[in-house]
């Protein structure tokens, strides 16, 4: 069975062919938990800015209260690890970054979702798991299959995507029209455009992440994949320092050289802001930017942005990543936490959060005629998902350590001029190999 078919079949496996519950039956699903409080760990992130606008409706409908604990990404993980290691922690439901899923499962910190989804007292047969964008479900939710993180034999669902993303190119259509430029179709055109825009317009060509740690790695991976590279070979041996890996890092160095000032210190937030404030003519990263671009209170470029597919290298390959939701193993109110998770990711609420600036998770939302009229970029986003790669990065339990403590440091050294691209990547082979061996990989 093909990977995508495996993911699509999960809906039938979990939910069967049940009919939607009546309004009264659905209300009964919540009655037992009315008055309970779900403590919810969430990040500072645009999608969750939108989510908090719809949360009061859940309490109004169900009687279940919600307490959110909102932290920056790095601090959020630290606190989640602390809380989930206790006999009973403070969190019932938590948002996690895709890189953490394997680590959380290997440490037995989150619960598989199948028991919840098969519980007729909790699961809504109208939910339609198959409608969730398959690559998002696989990338953010599946653990234990091929390579330990892909859909297929042995895979179990531990989370649901919420704040998922793929990569697209946003560009200033006014600047491109002024200089008679067109969106780059491939990396040859892309590289040429960087210097042309910098010279002609005098602003940054491309906004990008560059900050040491996972932000710099994310930026490099955006180029490594379409150029045909990979972090490891099929035997888990490092190949990130091969010709393609070096080429991708050299491209990122050119992005830094032609980009907004300070780009080597940018995280996702700073990269977003640079584009939104008109300091760069292009942006290649998360689809989550769309809600911000369209908000005139946060964007100086509203109405001036067009969207295109991630440029092709030797292949088209857009990223898959973002955020998901999981139930803590030691949750006090796990069932109520699941009910909130199910409600947030339902068809109705996926549309609702999208209308207030969130990122859609379902095919039905991306195809909704009213929303497509409001957000015509959804046409491009839907096409980009055809090339979204669930194996964009190796989401093994040790990946976050490699990401932050090795690759994220070495790539930053190349971006700040301390090392050449080739030297920076070659110097990382030994420490990354050692981390893999310590994690039990025979490399």
């Amino acid at each position: 069975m093909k990977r995508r078919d495996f993911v699509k079949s999960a809906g039938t496996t979990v939910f069967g062919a049940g009919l939607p519950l009546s309004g009264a039956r659905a209300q009964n699903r919540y009655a037992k938990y009315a008055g309970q409080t779900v403590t919810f760990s969430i990040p500072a992130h645009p999608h969750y800015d939108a989510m908090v606008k719809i949360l009061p409706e859940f309490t109004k409908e169900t009687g279940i209260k919600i307490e959110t604990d909102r932290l920056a990404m790095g601090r959020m993980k630290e606190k989640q690890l602390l809380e989930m290691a206790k006999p009973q922690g403070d969190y019932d439901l938590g948002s996690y970054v895709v890189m953490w899923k394997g680590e959380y499962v290997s440490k037995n910190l989150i619960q598989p979702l199948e028991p919840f989804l098969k519980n007729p007292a909790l699961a809504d047969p109208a939910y339609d798991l198959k409608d969730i964008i398959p690559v998002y479900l696989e990338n953010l939710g599946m653990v234990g299959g091929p390579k330990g993180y892909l859909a297929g034999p042995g895979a179990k669902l531990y989370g649901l995507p919420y704040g998922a993303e793929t990569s697209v190119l946003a560009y200033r259509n006014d600047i491109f029209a002024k200089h008679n430029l067109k969106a780059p179709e491939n990396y040859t055109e892309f590289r040429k455009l960087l210097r042309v825009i910098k010279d002609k317009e005098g602003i940054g060509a491309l906004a990008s992440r560059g900050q040491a740690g996972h932000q710099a790695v994310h930026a490099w991976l955006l180029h490594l994949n379409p150029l045909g590279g990979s972090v490891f070979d099929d035997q888990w041996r490092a190949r990130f320092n091969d010709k393609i890996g070096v080429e991708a890092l050299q491209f990122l160095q050119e992005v830094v050289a032609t980009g907004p000032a300070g780009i080597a210190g940018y995280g996702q937030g700073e990269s977003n802001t640079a584009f939104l404030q008109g300091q760069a003519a292009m942006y290649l990263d998360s689809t989550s930017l769309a809600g911000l671009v369209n908000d005139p209170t946060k964007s100086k470029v509203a109405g001036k942005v067009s969207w295109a597919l991630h440029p092709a290298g030797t292949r088209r390959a857009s990223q898959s990543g973002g955020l998901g939701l999981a139930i803590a193993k030691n949750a006090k109110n796990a069932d109520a936490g699941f009910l909130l998770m199910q409600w947030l990711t339902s068809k109705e609420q996926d549309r609702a959060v999208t209308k207030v600036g969130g990122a859609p998770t379902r095919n039905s939302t991306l195809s909704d005629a009213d929303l497509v009229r409001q957000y015509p970029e959804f046409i491009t986003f839907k096409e980009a998902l055809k090339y979204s790669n669930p194996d964009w990065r190796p989401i093994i339990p040790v990946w976050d350590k490699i990401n932050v403590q090795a690759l994220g440091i070495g790539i930053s050294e190349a971006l700040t001029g301390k090392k050449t691209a080739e030297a920076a990547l070659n110097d990382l082979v030994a420490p990354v190999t050692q981390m893999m061996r310590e994690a039990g990989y025979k490399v």
Side-chain angles (χ1 to χ4, degrees):
M1 184 182 290
K2 292 182 179 179
R3 180 188 298 122
R4 300 290 172 92
D5 292 336
F6 180 92
V7 178
K8 289 176 182 177
S9 74
T12 303
T13 301
V14 172
F15 286 106
L19 296 173
L21 294 176
S22 68
R25 287 281 305 283
Q27 186 58 40
N28 288 343
R29 189 165 57 245
Y30 299 117
K32 179 180 176 181
Y33 306 97
Q36 288 189 6
T37 297
V38 174
T39 306
F40 189 7
S41 172
I42 64 172
H45 183 274
H47 181 77
Y48 289 78
D49 290 342
M51 180 203 71
V52 296
K53 298 175 184 178
I54 68 170
L55 278 184
E57 186 62 28
F58 176 76
T59 300
K60 181 180 176 182
E61 288 182 17
T62 68
I64 300 171
K65 302 172 185 177
I66 306 166
E67 180 179 314
T68 59
D69 183 22
R70 187 168 195 166
L71 296 167
M73 296 282 189
R75 178 72 184 105
M76 184 175 75
K77 186 185 182 188
E78 290 175 10
K79 191 167 181 185
Q80 285 179 355
L81 288 171
L82 178 67
E83 291 298 331
M84 292 191 296
K86 297 177 180 178
Q88 184 177 90
D90 286 347
Y91 296 142
D92 301 303
L93 181 64
S95 175
Y96 60 91
V97 182
V98 63
M99 291 97 70
W100 308 344
K101 70 173 186 178
E103 180 182 351
Y104 282 8
V105 172
S106 72
K107 293 178 177 177
N108 198 29
L109 299 177
I110 57 178
Q111 301 191 39
L113 295 183
E114 187 172 7
F116 296 98
L117 294 168
K118 284 189 172 181
N119 184 344
L122 296 173
D124 180 0
Y127 181 79
D128 193 4
L129 192 68
K130 291 182 287 184
D131 181 52
I132 294 177
I133 295 166
V135 70
Y136 287 170
L137 190 68
E138 175 177 14
N139 182 243
L140 280 148
M142 299 287 192
V143 179
K147 294 190 175 183
Y149 54 88
L150 298 173
K156 291 184 178 180
L157 190 66
Y158 282 87
L160 293 174
Y162 198 67
E165 61 190 44
T166 191
S167 54
V168 288
L169 180 74
Y171 64 96
R172 288 279 301 279
N173 51 44
D174 57 334
I175 292 173
F176 273 57
K178 175 182 174 182
H179 300 291
N180 196 28
L181 303 173
K182 64 184 183 73
E185 284 284 332
N186 55 58
Y187 265 76
T188 300
E189 296 174 358
F190 201 8
R191 179 181 278 274
K192 289 178 181 177
L193 262 180
L194 296 177
R195 191 61 63 177
V196 168
I197 290 172
K198 185 71 173 180
D199 291 344
K200 288 183 178 291
E201 192 62 23
I203 63 172
L206 179 70
S208 173
R209 310 185 199 195
Q211 186 182 95
H214 82 273
Q215 305 278 9
V217 178
H218 181 101
W220 170 66
L221 288 171
L222 281 170
H223 311 304
L224 181 70
N225 277 268
L227 291 172
S230 180
V231 176
F232 299 114
D233 66 15
D234 291 341
Q235 304 299 316
W236 298 107
R237 292 175 298 219
R239 62 155 290 193
F240 54 76
N241 64 322
D242 63 14
K243 181 180 177 181
I244 301 171
V246 172
E247 181 185 357
L249 186 48
Q250 289 172 338
F251 182 88
L252 186 56
Q253 288 175 318
E254 181 69 0
V255 169
V256 171
T258 57
I263 197 171
Y266 281 9
Q268 184 177 14
E270 291 82 3
S271 177
N272 290 352
T273 298
F275 185 75
L276 295 170
Q277 296 302 308
Q279 298 165 14
M282 294 185 290
Y283 170 96
L284 180 74
D285 205 327
S286 169
T287 44
S288 67
L289 184 77
L292 299 173
V293 164
N294 295 320
D295 184 348
T297 67
K298 298 177 181 176
S299 170
K300 292 182 178 180
V301 297
K304 301 177 182 178
V305 176
S306 294
W307 303 85
L309 295 179
H310 192 133
T314 59
R315 60 188 179 187
R316 284 206 185 274
S318 52
Q319 70 125 324
S320 59
L323 298 155
L325 301 176
I327 307 291
K329 193 84 176 213
N330 62 357
K332 178 183 178 182
N333 296 313
D335 287 354
F338 170 77
L339 289 171
L340 174 57
M341 172 197 280
Q342 181 176 238
W343 184 88
L344 285 170
T345 58
S346 67
K347 287 183 179 182
E348 182 179 0
Q349 300 310 321
D350 196 55
R351 287 193 297 272
V353 78
T354 299
K355 288 178 181 178
V356 292
T361 300
R362 289 177 169 272
N363 280 314
S364 58
T365 307
L366 272 181
S367 302
D368 183 279
D370 290 338
L371 286 171
V372 171
R373 278 192 290 271
Q374 185 178 356
Y375 304 116
E377 60 268 23
F378 282 5
I379 297 170
T380 301
F381 294 1
K382 192 171 182 179
E383 181 69 15
L385 284 165
K386 296 178 182 178
Y387 308 103
S388 187
N389 180 9
D391 201 10
W392 187 71
R393 56 190 148 197
I395 318 173
I396 51 179
V398 72
W399 173 245
D400 204 40
K401 180 179 180 181
I402 291 171
N403 205 17
V404 174
Q405 298 181 21
L407 289 174
I409 295 172
I411 288 172
S412 175
E413 289 177 333
L415 300 184
T416 54
K418 295 178 182 177
K419 292 182 179 180
T420 66
E422 187 173 17
L425 294 177
N426 283 338
D427 288 350
L428 290 167
V429 173
V432 169
T433 300
Q434 182 61 30
M435 289 179 184
M436 289 293 284
R437 287 173 178 161
E438 289 172 356
Y441 290 86
K442 296 179 180 179
V443 293

